């Protein structure tokens, strides 16, 4: 297994903040072990989808269709056991 850092961007996440629902995006970096870069991207997305901070965005009653995309997949040295970063949320621009 190879060690990867995967930089992800999430968009259109309807989440409660300060008592109201907001459409948010985020950036986060996740470390995973996998056989290939493509598998690393898929695994990292699954890790993020399972995060409790995002669970309300995946409910059927939300008006948004949340998306997560792997922007960068970087192979790490085997001894690099970096921790996942915190979510950095940003407001989605209304179109």
């Amino acid at each position: 297994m190879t060690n990867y850092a995967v930089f992800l961007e999430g968009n259109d996440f309807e989440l409660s903040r300060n008592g109201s629902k907001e459409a948010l995006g985020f950036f986060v970096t996740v470390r995973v072990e996998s056989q290939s870069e493509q598998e690393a991207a898929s695994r990292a997305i699954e890790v993020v989808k399972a995060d409790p901070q995002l669970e309300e965005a995946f409910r059927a009653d939300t008006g948004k269709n949340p998306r997560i995309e792997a922007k960068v997949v970087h192979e790490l040295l085997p001894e690099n056991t970096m921790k996942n970063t915190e979510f950095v949320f940003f407001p989605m621009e209304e179109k």
Side-chain angles (χ1 to χ4, degrees):
M1 294 281 229
T2 306
N3 200 17
Y4 292 98
V6 183
F7 179 72
L8 301 168
E9 179 181 355
N11 289 291
D12 293 325
F13 279 75
E14 194 171 88
L15 300 171
S16 297
R17 293 285 186 262
N18 304 321
S20 64
K21 293 254 186 195
E22 293 183 45
L24 300 171
F26 64 83
F27 295 108
V28 68
T29 302
V30 177
R31 185 185 74 83
V32 294
E33 292 182 0
S34 66
Q35 302 287 351
S36 69
E37 285 187 13
Q38 289 163 317
E39 183 184 332
S42 294
R43 283 187 178 198
I45 289 169
E46 292 307 313
V47 166
V48 170
K49 280 183 174 179
D51 192 287
Q53 293 182 73
L54 303 178
E55 68 183 343
E56 73 177 298
F58 292 108
R59 292 188 188 131
D61 63 346
T62 63
K64 299 279 184 190
N65 186 21
R67 302 179 318 278
I68 304 173
E69 181 182 354
K71 293 297 205 178
V72 178
V73 180
H74 179 74
E75 187 174 332
L76 300 170
L77 294 172
E79 62 273 9
N80 186 332
T81 57
M82 66 165 263
K83 300 273 189 240
N84 297 349
T85 64
E86 297 291 322
F87 287 97
V88 176
F89 290 99
F90 57 87
M92 297 298 301
E93 296 296 322
E94 293 298 322
K95 295 184 181 180

